[in-house]
Amino acid sequence: MAGFDKYFLMKAQDAADYATGKLKFFEAGADLETKEIGDGNLNYIFRVVDRKSGKSVVIKQAGSTARISEDFVLSLDRNRIENDILKLEGELAPGFVPKVYAYDPIMNCCAMEDLSDHLIMRGALLQRKKYPLFADHISTFMANTLLLTCDAVMDHKKKKALVGSFINPDLCEITEDLVYTEPFNDLKKRNDLFAPNKDFFEKELYGDDALRLEAAKLKFDFFQNAQCLIHGDLHTGSVFVRPDSTKVIDPEFAYYGPAGYDVGNVLANLVFAWINADTTIAEPAAQADYTSWLEETIAQSLDLFKQKWRALWDKAVTEPTAKYPGFAEWYFDGILRDTAGVTGLELCRRTVGLAKVKDIAGIENPAQRTRAERVAISLAKRCIFERDLIRSGEDYLRLLAWAAAKHPRAK
Amino acid sequence: MAGFDKYFLMKAQDAADYATGKLKFFEAGADLETKEIGDGNLNYIFRVVDRKSGKSVVIKQAGSTARISEDFVLSLDRNRIENDILKLEGELAPGFVPKVYAYDPIMNCCAMEDLSDHLIMRGALLQRKKYPLFADHISTFMANTLLLTCDAVMDHKKKKALVGSFINPDLCEITEDLVYTEPFNDLKKRNDLFAPNKDFFEKELYGDDALRLEAAKLKFDFFQNAQCLIHGDLHTGSVFVRPDSTKVIDPEFAYYGPAGYDVGNVLANLVFAWINADTTIAEPAAQADYTSWLEETIAQSLDLFKQKWRALWDKAVTEPTAKYPGFAEWYFDGILRDTAGVTGLELCRRTVGLAKVKDIAGIENPAQRTRAERVAISLAKRCIFERDLIRSGEDYLRLLAWAAAKHPRAK
């Protein structure tokens, strides 16, 4: 058995040894089964179960390059950031993140609650499962984690210390490149455009100077705006769901950034599920049933967030100038503007960029995929250009219906 | 002689001993004269001169509370920040900051170039001296230090590291309180209103909800906007001048904040000198001569900054999205907007707040002081409210003429 006193990339057996020998998580005589269950882009994740007792733990280890591409050399410090942020999120939004049992700065791993009775939400939505509590849960998570870490609420010196402790250059660079830059100029030649839409993308994205300019403005908001401690990667692949439970995972992109970044990611990724359902479910009643649940979820995720933010604001705000009449509305309006902008950016980058989503890139019928991608891009552009006006769930649904109608379903 | 191996607050003799024994700055047998020359609000400053050789050095030591008020307990780390930033500013804008010879983290002091052949600009302006090169110098200093530290130019990871190293909670808190809060609500009862203007201030500042709201919005820009490495206290009391030389000192407020904060401070403090001259110089020709030089300096400080920023932008920008057509204009427009807002805030706070300026509070004739304060506040409010429109030196001069005419000179 390895001593785990020097970093190396674990394999399944190492993870089992680690859980027993180092963590003392299992008792002697446990009958362990270990599987590498990671399907994300960055880390290695092992589930270790004792077949006898049913007790289980997840070990998540950071590698020194991303799994998605060795282009990304990543600071191992991201596991420290993940551990710190999970603890903090657990305090701010209890019950909505996995419990962390231990963090090991040498092996760059952490041991956390096994959520195998949950599903990754992206896959679950593609299986047409419904999560009636999701909008309620995610809106609470966002309102609490975002509002309670901003200068309207926090002691300003403590907030500045948090800003310092969550400076996250490597992971921010990935976002800066993949979300804010490459979808609009293919600067690093890493976009892989779906061939039937190549001309469409080249015209609508690379060829639209006004759009590129708006993306650049939003990029500088991401560079500069140390507003809230954001999750930084809050898509449906970062959420574990059960009908009665929602757990947000993978916060290694966390840093102090614009609150709208998280909200926009949630909305865009629900929209991808909607576009998939609208494009690929053949049977009209089944399609209407599922898309209407998704529409409700999209609208409620935003509208409940708005309600909860506002209610929590009135209770939690400490900064005296933030209590002036009109301030809350002005401040929140900026968050909703950023939300719309980021919704658009996420729709673009997950359609054309290096890290595509299964909801779109997984559509096997080429005519359907062509259509789904065009719906995403048409909606995205309106979200970016009209971000000063898009403010409610209904606004998003109206634009979504417009984009869907603009690109009729393939027969 | 003290060993200087443990922090204590030095007196003049200690500073002389330090310069000789610790720094080895002077040779044996030097005939030293030491004076405490600090007249700022925060630190203790000693000038040590060898009467024989004429060689001299300045020792600047941080105390653990501000000199201006024991309310402010300050991290001694600000001397580290000052040392680091002076070095960096010296690289970015050579010749415009004093040379630093040594920094001592134990005694929390630094040894730097003696600028006794320069005058503090605020006092020099009150003596009606002219500095024909000031606008040229300060605009270079601002363009270089601000632009070269922002995300349009810097490697984004290095910029994030600088953000972390210049997190400056204690000094930022002073600004947050004194500039952005107290002038508009006297929250800590530290404002000391000049009695004849008490009703005027209460109506125009505390009583103007719309103004307070704008100040709150600007405060959150100061909290959140990690745009450039700013000096943070760039008023005429932080500038040493000689006709041929300009040296910016006292950067202990430095942190990553909005670029317009520095530019607005320069403009507001030149405006104070103008208001003083316009209000108190009795002889019309002398008055016109001096105010017109100040007007030119105000306008040129901004207009040359604009020119130099733009010229340097074209040479120095590395971020590819910042090169998109229209981006430079959009980005710079935001800086000019912040500049106008901060000009207004600085005019308010230095008129009514804890740290008043001699240009105004030093006017002995009560009718004249009353008038000068009113000109400052009337101009300030237009700068804050109309910050979306105020863009050129001429704009400032037009508003200044309006405010002066609104409050005619006392006979």
Side-chain angles (χ1 to χ4, degrees):
Chain A
M1 191 178 105
F4 304 108
D5 45 8
K6 202 171 151 244
Y7 175 80
F8 67 95
L9 209 52
M10 290 192 274
K11 304 226 172 298
Q13 184 56 48
D14 303 314
D17 291 349
Y18 185 87
T20 312
K22 180 93 180 179
L23 289 180
K24 318 284 183 203
F25 190 85
F26 297 105
E27 298 186 7
D31 177 18
L32 299 187
E33 180 182 351
T34 308
K35 253 168 91 171
E36 211 277 300
I37 57 169
D39 66 348
N41 297 329
L42 301 181
N43 300 295
Y44 299 85
I45 302 167
F46 303 94
R47 180 174 181 243
V48 190
V49 195
D50 175 7
R51 286 193 198 88
K52 277 191 202 156
S53 66
K55 215 177 150 189
S56 61
V57 66
V58 161
I59 314 277
K60 177 170 180 178
Q61 187 181 34
S64 59
T65 55
R67 294 179 76 162
I68 184 178
S69 160
E70 298 212 342
D71 279 11
F72 301 111
V73 177
L74 299 170
S75 159
L76 296 169
D77 187 47
R78 70 182 189 275
N79 223 310
R80 192 266 310 165
I81 288 183
E82 173 160 6
N83 179 66
D84 287 354
I85 185 94
L86 279 176
K87 277 195 187 147
L88 184 58
E89 287 174 347
E91 288 161 23
L92 299 173
F96 295 118
V97 292
K99 289 191 197 76
V100 181
Y101 303 132
Y103 162 61
D104 180 340
I106 292 166
M107 290 300 292
N108 282 295
C109 68
C110 53
M112 59 175 83
E113 189 179 3
D114 175 22
L115 297 169
S116 306
D117 57 344
H118 291 62
L119 295 173
I120 286 289
M121 189 174 187
R122 188 181 306 283
L125 294 179
L126 291 173
Q127 295 169 41
R128 315 305 178 200
K129 294 187 192 299
K130 294 181 185 175
Y131 296 91
L133 299 178
F134 172 75
D136 184 33
H137 289 169
I138 201 71
S139 57
T140 299
F141 175 82
M142 294 190 297
N144 287 17
T145 57
L146 297 173
L147 178 52
L148 298 178
T149 57
C150 82
D151 273 298
V153 172
M154 275 195 83
D155 173 85
H156 307 303
K157 293 183 182 183
K158 288 186 186 148
K159 183 254 183 174
K160 288 180 181 73
L162 274 192
V163 170
S165 118
F166 287 105
I167 285 177
N168 197 350
D170 293 330
L171 283 291
C172 281
E173 184 182 52
I174 295 180
T175 303
E176 290 155 14
D177 287 347
L178 295 190
V179 179
Y180 290 91
T181 310
E182 297 178 34
F184 308 99
N185 61 18
D186 200 18
L187 198 70
K188 298 195 177 172
K189 305 291 169 216
R190 296 192 292 203
N191 294 345
D192 176 20
L193 306 183
F194 181 53
N197 273 333
K198 192 166 172 286
D199 292 348
F200 177 83
F201 293 140
E202 286 178 351
K203 172 169 176 290
E204 294 291 329
L205 299 177
Y206 309 162
D208 188 338
D209 284 347
L211 180 72
R212 290 147 55 99
L213 177 58
E214 296 311 308
K217 294 178 186 175
L218 288 161
K219 186 174 186 180
F220 274 70
D221 195 50
F222 190 83
F223 280 140
Q224 295 178 187
N225 185 7
Q227 182 176 41
C228 302
L229 186 51
I230 67 173
H231 177 282
D233 198 29
L234 196 50
H235 59 85
T236 48
S238 296
V239 180
F240 265 123
V241 279
R242 237 175 27 196
D244 62 335
S245 168
T246 302
K247 303 278 186 188
V248 173
I249 60 167
D250 290 354
E252 62 261 70
F253 283 81
Y255 89 112
Y256 257 86
Y261 192 81
D262 279 356
V263 190
N265 266 276
V266 168
L267 296 182
N269 283 279
L270 292 171
V271 164
F272 279 130
W274 186 95
I275 295 175
N276 180 291
D278 186 66
T279 305
T280 67
I281 301 180
E283 206 277 300
Q287 185 195 66
D289 177 65
Y290 200 65
T291 54
S292 66
W293 174 73
L294 278 170
E295 285 159 23
E296 198 183 309
T297 302
I298 292 166
Q300 288 286 297
S301 294
L302 181 63
D303 294 339
L304 289 175
F305 168 67
K306 288 169 62 177
Q307 282 173 31
K308 289 172 186 177
W309 173 285
R310 193 50 218 254
L312 187 57
W313 178 279
D314 291 337
K315 274 196 292 189
V317 163
T318 62
E319 163 59 33
T321 67
K323 297 178 185 172
Y324 291 159
F327 185 85
E329 292 74 13
W330 171 81
Y331 189 71
F332 197 50
D333 191 66
I335 292 174
L336 296 176
R337 186 183 58 234
D338 294 343
T339 295
V342 171
T343 301
L345 293 168
E346 176 76 357
L347 286 169
C348 291
R349 75 106 167 187
R350 294 284 197 179
T351 301
V352 301
L354 188 62
K356 296 189 174 60
V357 287
K358 217 195 284 184
D359 319 52
I360 303 295
I363 298 175
E364 286 177 12
N365 177 316
Q368 288 183 340
R369 181 171 170 186
T370 302
R371 186 259 177 177
E373 292 186 343
R374 291 182 180 217
V375 173
I377 298 301
S378 292
L379 172 61
K381 292 181 69 166
R382 291 199 64 179
C383 288
I384 292 170
F385 282 127
E386 295 168 46
R387 64 189 187 277
D388 280 334
L389 297 168
I390 300 169
R391 290 295 175 270
S392 66
E394 211 190 313
D395 291 341
Y396 284 91
L397 297 185
R398 205 178 320 116
L399 293 179
L400 184 53
W402 167 86
K406 185 178 164 80
H407 304 288
R409 271 188 289 275
K411 294 283 153 62
Chain B
M1 191 178 102
F4 304 109
D5 46 7
K6 203 170 148 242
Y7 176 80
F8 67 96
L9 210 52
M10 291 191 274
K11 302 229 173 298
Q13 183 57 49
D14 303 313
D17 291 349
Y18 184 87
T20 312
K22 181 90 181 179
L23 290 179
K24 319 282 183 207
F25 192 85
F26 297 104
E27 299 187 7
D31 176 19
L32 299 187
E33 179 181 351
T34 308
K35 253 168 91 172
E36 211 278 299
I37 57 170
D39 65 347
N41 297 328
L42 301 180
N43 300 295
Y44 299 85
I45 300 167
F46 303 94
R47 178 173 182 245
V48 190
V49 195
D50 176 7
R51 286 194 198 89
K52 277 193 203 155
S53 65
K55 214 176 150 190
S56 62
V57 66
V58 161
I59 314 275
K60 178 169 179 178
Q61 188 182 34
S64 59
T65 56
R67 296 179 76 161
I68 185 178
S69 160
E70 297 212 343
D71 280 11
F72 301 111
V73 177
L74 299 172
S75 159
L76 296 170
D77 187 45
R78 71 181 188 278
N79 223 310
R80 192 264 313 163
I81 288 183
E82 173 162 3
N83 179 65
D84 288 354
I85 184 96
L86 278 177
K87 277 195 190 149
L88 185 58
E89 287 173 347
E91 287 161 23
L92 299 174
F96 294 119
V97 293
K99 289 190 198 74
V100 181
Y101 304 131
Y103 163 62
D104 179 339
I106 293 167
M107 290 300 292
N108 283 294
C109 67
C110 52
M112 60 175 81
E113 188 180 2
D114 176 21
L115 297 169
S116 306
D117 56 344
H118 290 63
L119 294 173
I120 287 289
M121 188 175 188
R122 189 182 304 285
L125 295 179
L126 291 174
Q127 294 170 41
R128 315 306 178 200
K129 295 187 193 297
K130 294 182 186 174
Y131 296 91
L133 298 178
F134 173 76
D136 183 33
H137 290 169
I138 201 73
S139 57
T140 299
F141 176 81
M142 295 191 296
N144 287 17
T145 58
L146 298 173
L147 178 53
L148 299 178
T149 57
C150 82
D151 273 297
V153 172
M154 273 196 84
D155 172 84
H156 307 303
K157 293 184 182 184
K158 288 187 187 149
K159 183 253 186 175
K160 287 179 182 73
L162 274 192
V163 170
S165 117
F166 288 105
I167 286 178
N168 198 349
D170 293 330
L171 283 290
C172 281
E173 185 182 51
I174 295 180
T175 303
E176 289 155 14
D177 286 347
L178 294 190
V179 179
Y180 290 92
T181 311
E182 297 177 35
F184 308 99
N185 61 19
D186 201 19
L187 198 70
K188 299 195 175 171
K189 305 292 169 215
R190 296 192 291 202
N191 294 345
D192 176 20
L193 306 183
F194 182 52
N197 272 334
K198 191 164 174 288
D199 293 348
F200 176 83
F201 293 140
E202 286 178 350
K203 173 170 172 291
E204 294 291 330
L205 299 177
Y206 309 163
D208 188 338
D209 284 347
L211 180 71
R212 290 147 54 99
L213 177 58
E214 296 311 310
K217 293 177 187 176
L218 288 161
K219 187 175 186 181
F220 274 70
D221 195 50
F222 190 83
F223 279 140
Q224 295 177 187
N225 186 8
Q227 182 176 41
C228 302
L229 186 52
I230 67 173
H231 177 281
D233 198 28
L234 196 51
H235 58 85
T236 47
S238 297
V239 180
F240 265 122
V241 279
R242 236 175 27 195
D244 61 336
S245 166
T246 301
K247 303 276 186 189
V248 173
I249 60 166
D250 289 355
E252 62 261 70
F253 282 82
Y255 89 112
Y256 256 88
Y261 192 81
D262 279 356
V263 190
N265 265 276
V266 168
L267 296 182
N269 283 279
L270 292 172
V271 163
F272 278 130
W274 186 95
I275 295 175
N276 179 290
D278 186 67
T279 305
T280 66
I281 301 180
E283 206 277 299
Q287 186 196 65
D289 177 65
Y290 200 66
T291 54
S292 66
W293 174 74
L294 278 170
E295 284 159 24
E296 198 183 309
T297 302
I298 292 167
Q300 288 286 298
S301 294
L302 181 63
D303 294 338
L304 289 176
F305 168 68
K306 289 169 61 176
Q307 281 173 29
K308 289 173 187 177
W309 173 285
R310 194 48 220 257
L312 188 56
W313 178 281
D314 291 336
K315 273 196 291 188
V317 163
T318 63
E319 162 58 33
T321 68
K323 297 177 185 171
Y324 291 161
F327 185 84
E329 292 74 13
W330 171 82
Y331 189 71
F332 198 51
D333 191 66
I335 292 175
L336 296 177
R337 186 183 57 235
D338 294 343
T339 295
V342 171
T343 300
L345 293 167
E346 175 76 358
L347 286 169
C348 290
R349 75 105 167 188
R350 294 283 195 180
T351 301
V352 302
L354 187 62
K356 296 188 173 60
V357 287
K358 218 193 281 183
D359 318 52
I360 303 295
I363 299 175
E364 286 178 13
N365 177 317
Q368 288 184 340
R369 179 170 171 187
T370 302
R371 187 260 175 175
E373 292 186 345
R374 293 183 179 215
V375 173
I377 299 301
S378 292
L379 171 61
K381 292 182 68 166
R382 291 199 65 180
C383 288
I384 293 169
F385 282 128
E386 296 167 46
R387 63 190 186 277
D388 280 334
L389 297 168
I390 301 170
R391 289 295 174 271
S392 66
E394 209 191 314
D395 291 342
Y396 284 91
L397 297 185
R398 206 178 319 116
L399 293 179
L400 184 54
W402 167 85
K406 184 178 164 82
H407 305 288
R409 273 188 287 275
K411 296 281 153 60

